[in-house]
Amino acid sequence: MPVNLIDNDGFPRVVLTEPMGSSAEVLLYGGQVVSWKNERREELLFMSSKAIWKPPKAVRGGIPICFPQFGNFGSLERHGLARNRMWSLDSSPAPLSPATNNSTVDLLLKSTEDDLKTWSQSFELRLRVSISSGKLTLIPRVRNTDNKSFSFMFALRNYLSVSDISEVRIEGLETLDYLDNLMNKERYTEQADAITFDGEVDRVYLRTPFKIAIIDHEKKRTFVLRKDGMPDAAVWNPWDKKAKAIPDLGDEDYKSMLCVDSAAVESNIVLKPSEEWKGYQELSTVSSSYCSGQLDPCRVLYGFT
C-alpha cells in the first residue's frame, strides 16, 4: 500500500490511501491524524475553522493523542505533552500481519531531555495508523525505558464530524457511571436510554464496553468505535457559550463536532522498567436510516445476525 510523506505547509504529513478510495493524513507534529475521508471523499473527522497550525500550539481537530495526562486530571499541561511534540517515522516497527491489506504508517516519540524536565520519566511512545475500506485503526504502544516504574493516562481524542449535534445520539454508555467535568469531576450514573445533546457535555464514562455507536440521524451515518486497553470513554461538546470562549474554535463549530474518546483515565496504567502497554482503536462507519427504523443500534453494538 502506498505511503506518501509530503510537506507543503511546514507540517510534514503522511498520506495513506487504499484501493477503494479512502484516505487519511497523519501529521508528524503530534502524531496526529488530521483527516480521514471515505471512498466518496467525504471528510469524517472534524477540524476547527480556527485551528492554529503553528507549534507549540496543538492542532484542534482530528485525533490528538493525550499522554501522559488526560485533560486537567493531573499537574501537567492539559492533555499532556505528546500532542505538541514532533514525532518521527519508526524505523523498527512491530511486524505487520502477513494477511493485512491496510495502508499503514508507524510513528515514534521518544522522551527528550526537555521532556524529562516536565515529566521525569523516560519512555517510547509508538503509534501505528492504518486504513482499509471503511476503517481507521490506531494502535498506540508505550514502553518504559526508565529504570523505575511509572504510571500514566492515555486517550485518543476523536473529533468526529457530524451534521448537527442536536441530531446525534450515542448508544452503549447507558447505565454507566461517569465523572462530570462540569461538576468538579463528581461521579454520577447515566440515567438516559441514550446520550443526546442540548447543552455542554464534558464527561468521562467509566468501564465502558468494547463497542460504542455514534448515530448521526441527518447524515444517516453511524460511527462505530471499537477499543481495547482503554476502558473509559470521554464525551465532549462545548456548546455555544464555551465555543465562543475557546480561541481556536469557531463560534458555530460546536454544531458540527463531537468528541468521543478512547481513554484510560480513572485508573492509571502502570509500567515497570522495560514493560510495554498496548492499546487498540478502530473507527468505522455504516450507513443507517435510524429515523425510519432501518437501523437497530443494538445490532451495531452487539453484532449483526
Side-chain angles (χ1 to χ4, degrees):
M1 293 294 134
V3 175
N4 182 18
L5 180 63
I6 61 172
D7 180 7
N8 54 15
D9 55 4
F11 273 80
R13 66 187 68 198
V14 174
V15 179
L16 302 176
T17 58
E18 58 84 32
M20 296 302 292
S22 62
S23 66
E25 296 184 13
V26 190
L27 297 183
L28 294 188
Y29 181 67
Q32 184 169 337
V33 179
V34 291
S35 175
W36 173 36
K37 293 179 180 178
N38 63 17
E39 59 274 10
R40 294 183 298 279
R41 311 302 297 152
E42 296 168 332
E43 181 58 66
L44 301 172
L45 299 178
F46 166 85
M47 180 58 65
S48 169
S49 63
K50 290 186 176 180
I52 299 172
W53 297 81
K54 186 177 181 181
K57 184 69 177 176
V59 178
R60 186 174 296 280
I63 308 179
I65 294 169
C66 306
F67 168 87
Q69 177 179 300
F70 178 76
N72 59 356
F73 283 75
S75 59
L76 300 178
E77 61 185 292
R78 187 174 182 83
H79 291 315
L81 54 83
R83 66 183 185 145
N84 55 11
R85 299 293 191 273
M86 188 62 75
W87 295 46
S88 62
L89 294 175
D90 190 352
S91 59
S92 56
L96 286 166
S97 164
T100 187
N101 193 35
N102 297 351
S103 178
T104 298
V105 63
D106 288 279
L107 301 180
L108 172 63
L109 177 68
K110 292 184 178 182
S111 51
T112 66
E113 290 299 319
D114 283 343
D115 292 335
L116 293 172
K117 296 174 186 175
T118 303
W119 191 59
S120 59
Q121 322 295 341
S122 180
F123 67 88
E124 291 180 354
L125 170 54
R126 287 179 162 82
L127 179 69
R128 171 168 289 170
V129 182
S130 303
I131 61 164
S132 56
S133 182
K135 292 181 182 179
L136 173 68
T137 303
L138 283 76
I139 301 175
R141 291 184 291 145
V142 177
R143 178 174 293 277
N144 183 347
T145 57
D146 214 315
N147 57 10
K148 60 185 181 298
S149 297
F150 64 69
S151 64
F152 61 93
M153 303 175 205
F154 194 92
L156 297 172
R157 165 131 282 194
N158 300 304
Y159 281 87
L160 304 178
S161 175
V162 299
S163 55
D164 179 351
I165 186 61
S166 63
E167 296 294 325
V168 174
R169 59 193 283 129
I170 302 175
E171 303 274 359
L173 301 178
E174 52 276 4
T175 75
L176 298 181
D177 286 358
Y178 64 86
L179 306 178
D180 193 334
N181 289 320
L182 303 180
M183 301 294 288
N184 296 314
K185 301 183 179 68
E186 286 286 327
R187 189 176 183 126
Y188 297 92
T189 300
E190 182 59 64
Q191 303 293 332
D193 293 336
I195 300 169
T196 56
F197 299 87
D198 58 7
E200 183 181 357
V201 172
D202 189 354
R203 301 171 181 170
V204 177
Y205 286 83
L206 308 174
R207 302 177 189 177
T208 58
F210 169 73
K211 197 185 301 186
I212 300 167
I214 302 98
I215 301 160
D216 188 336
H217 298 314
E218 191 170 309
K219 285 190 177 177
K220 295 182 171 58
R221 180 169 67 206
T222 295
F223 288 98
V224 182
L225 170 62
R226 295 175 174 86
K227 60 189 181 65
D228 190 42
M230 294 173 279
D232 307 319
V235 176
W236 180 62
N237 183 282
W239 217 250
D240 54 353
K241 187 176 179 180
K242 178 67 69 67
K244 291 175 182 176
I246 298 174
D248 60 345
L249 188 67
D251 290 355
E252 302 295 313
D253 280 357
Y254 75 94
K255 295 178 180 178
S256 58
M257 61 149 283
L258 174 61
C259 287
V260 183
D261 310 335
S262 301
V265 175
E266 183 189 28
S267 298
N268 283 11
I269 300 161
V270 180
L271 291 179
K272 296 176 182 177
S274 300
E275 281 188 341
E276 184 178 82
W277 165 84
K278 180 180 177 181
Y280 176 88
Q281 174 181 285
E282 177 191 289
L283 280 169
S284 59
T285 59
V286 295
S287 296
S288 61
S289 298
Y290 179 73
C291 292
S292 59
Q294 293 177 27
L295 175 70
D296 178 355
C298 290
R299 296 179 72 200
V300 173
L301 290 170
Y302 307 117
F304 291 86
T305 56

